[in-house]
Amino acid sequence: MDITKFVVSQRDKALLVGDYGSYRKQSSRRLLVVRKKLNYASRRKYTPKTPITAEDIARNHEFVHLLLLSAERAWALAMHMKSTQTTDGSRGVTGSTKRHITSKLQKAVSYATHLVNLLQEKDRSETSSQSLLEARAYQQSLRGAIAFEKRDWERCLQSFSETRLLYTSFVQSAGTKQDDLFRDLLSSNIDPSMRYAAYQLKLPRTMSIDTIVVRYVQPTDNAYVSEVLKSNPDLLQGLGGSARKSGTGKSEDMPKTIKWRSRTVDLEDASTAQALASLSAAETGLASFLSANQDLDPKSKAAAYDDVLLPSQDAVDATKTAIDELTAEGVAQGDARMQSLQITRTAVNYNLVSWRIGRNRVLCGEHDGATFKSETNRKSRKQRASEGSRAAQEEESNGKKLTRLRERVVLYDSTIQSLDSTKDFPGVAADQAFVDELEAKKAYFSSLRSKRNALALLARALELSSQSSLSRVPADQPTADGATKLEVRPEQTKFLKDFLERMVRQYRALVELEEMDSAASKVKSTNPLPLIERLDEYPSKGVDLTNLVTYPPKVQPVPVKPIFLDVAWNYIDYPGRPRKGATAAAAGKAEQETPTSEPKREAKKGWFGFGRS
């Protein structure tokens, strides 16, 4: 029948968009529809309605919904009146209003009790024990609400303890979806009421909810509790012991203290201690899982971090609730209990931030996303069959690469924002050494964010990586083997720095090649000479094989040998050749010095050397 699921779904559906008043109206409309469907509406105004019997439930399970809707309508009216009075600051809940609220809750209990009595006749109603126990848990939750309004704290704890015991047994026997349903119901309605009732009874704050359940449940006088214990005999022992079983079935001791930096404080709040015990078990399970499955892809590893993030958030919520309770009691901030809780709050919040950042680092990939490798997309079976013997993998497209890079930038931004929020935790601003450590870690992740294929950003990343040199991992924040958290080891910063130095040199070389290429392109556009005439230039974009030489060759003047002018022949002195004037003067002087034996003959005159004498 899923009684609990029906009630919770009806409440969530109405309260999601409205208040208790709208939930009452919705229950009335739904009740009218069910009555008409079952032909159960009374024909006359003052005619009493026919009572519902076990045979009606066996014939149609909608009769169970009829009783549940009637009870929920009365409960919604009571809650609406209570919320209306408490939100008005001028006055509280008056006596008449309080009696009206109690009356409506009592009416809801009467419907729930009638349902339990009908389901007890299992042979006539044809119902299971699970449905009967769910109806009993619903009845006891309404009785606990009445005792809460009457301020009968003992009876309130008795009713809610039985309800919590029944729902705890459902959690252990139900599936994953039903498990979440029952846990939400316990944490939202039952546990806060029990904690407030225990406070009114002056019970120790260190007493956990499970211990209160064991104390106020009476298995010998209650047939429903006895039936639950028959199927699960160790239920009460598991709740009352000082050890808490984790999801893996192992027993985890409740921690007594918590350490933050150089200070160790006692855990005085039982809910916080339980949450930390659950967190410790989850961290151990995560480390074992990652060590045994090192070949998993980053998304599968990151999904395993959810088992740790949930108990981490529970520890944060439990600590905040304990602080709010002390604040409501008027405890000063300088009180020792408040100071211990503030230190605990800083420790659990920083632990939650560490696991969130560790999950982001796993999603970024190897070396925290410093390297970027292209992925291959595996084709479907239909595509492989159609393509035959061609490759079954194809290279990742540029669009998918850009999408992955954008996702990494978002993860880095989230990490940096989480580190900035850490400085707002209590006591962090006064710890200068811790603030310097946070700044170094922020510089490390900022350098990872800036290394996105641009020379200026790479240079900035290299500068930030130089600032993020961490000498050691803090001793007060150990990292589990196989699980990545916030801590950055020195070898990781050294790898990033060396990688960025290589990237800066690489992109500087690329810039130089681009400048050479642009200059060569300009020369080529203005003077497209063949390659044989440009052998002194480096072809950055490759050789243009269509422009090696000019073919067919054109007729053009080509210098073959040097040109000498005849006019200059007589005025240029060459080595080894005597001057012409000097030779003639030397010959004349020799003639003067040599004596002539014969007189000089007179030259002949006339044409052709002969003429008349």
Side-chain angles (χ1 to χ4, degrees), residues 94-108:
T94 59
S96 58
T97 305
K98 200 168 195 177
R99 288 191 296 271
H100 195 185
I101 292 173
T102 306
S103 174
K104 290 301 177 183
L105 289 176
Q106 187 62 47
K107 186 176 182 180

Side-chain angles (χ1 to χ4, degrees), residues 561-569 572 574:
K561 59 183 179 179
I563 300 176
F564 298 96
L565 298 178
D566 295 339
V567 177
W569 174 262
I572 299 177
Y574 293 95

